[in-house]
Amino acid sequence: MGAAIRHFTAIGPGEQVFTVNIERDFRYEPYRDFLVCAHCDWSPSLLTTRRTDTMAWEHLADAHDAAGGRTDRENESFRTARWVMLPLCSVLIIALLVFLQS
Ligand SMILES: [Zn+2]
């Protein structure tokens, strides 16, 4: 449903890579983020003061015995989208200011 915006991966027994994703659901206003495990049904409530990455690492270590080779990376296309959107928004704001002054 949501778009995966960030991946937490860790290596478990037998060099298997386990992944927990942060999925952002844009159907909500403001958007909502979900923590979703790619290997089981784990999807905790994020209505907590605990850090998302801590929860992801804990789950990978506790449920899947994956504590090695941790990586934490943003989704490539999501990062690209942000780099495109940022200048685009600036240009729009400048255009708007110019328009308002004329
Ligand atoms: Zn899991």
Side-chain angles (χ1 to χ4, degrees):
M1 44 167 206
I5 57 158
R6 196 162 172 179
H7 313 279
F8 298 101
T9 59
I11 297 166
E15 300 297 298
Q16 194 188 344
V17 178
F18 290 93
T19 310
V20 166
N21 296 312
I22 296 182
E23 292 187 357
R24 182 159 291 181
D25 196 330
F26 291 100
R27 286 174 303 176
Y28 297 97
E29 186 61 44
Y31 59 76
R32 282 190 210 169
D33 286 347
F34 296 90
L35 204 52
V36 182
C37 179
H39 309 276
C40 64
D41 288 337
W42 184 74
S43 186
S45 165
L46 291 182
L47 298 174
T48 162
T49 52
R50 303 193 57 208
R51 289 175 54 96
T52 326
D53 50 354
T54 309
M55 290 166 71
W57 298 134
E58 267 188 16
H59 174 76
L60 288 169
D62 293 349
H64 302 293
D65 207 16
R70 289 174 176 180
T71 65
D72 167 5
R73 59 197 166 82
E74 267 187 286
N75 183 289
E76 210 55 51
S77 57
F78 187 71
R79 189 162 48 195
T80 312
R82 198 172 52 190
W83 279 109
V84 172
M85 282 311 286
L86 218 66
L88 203 65
C89 287
S90 321
V91 168
L92 279 174
I93 289 166
I94 292 165
L96 196 70
L97 286 174
V98 170
F99 176 76
L100 286 175
Q101 277 174 355
S102 61

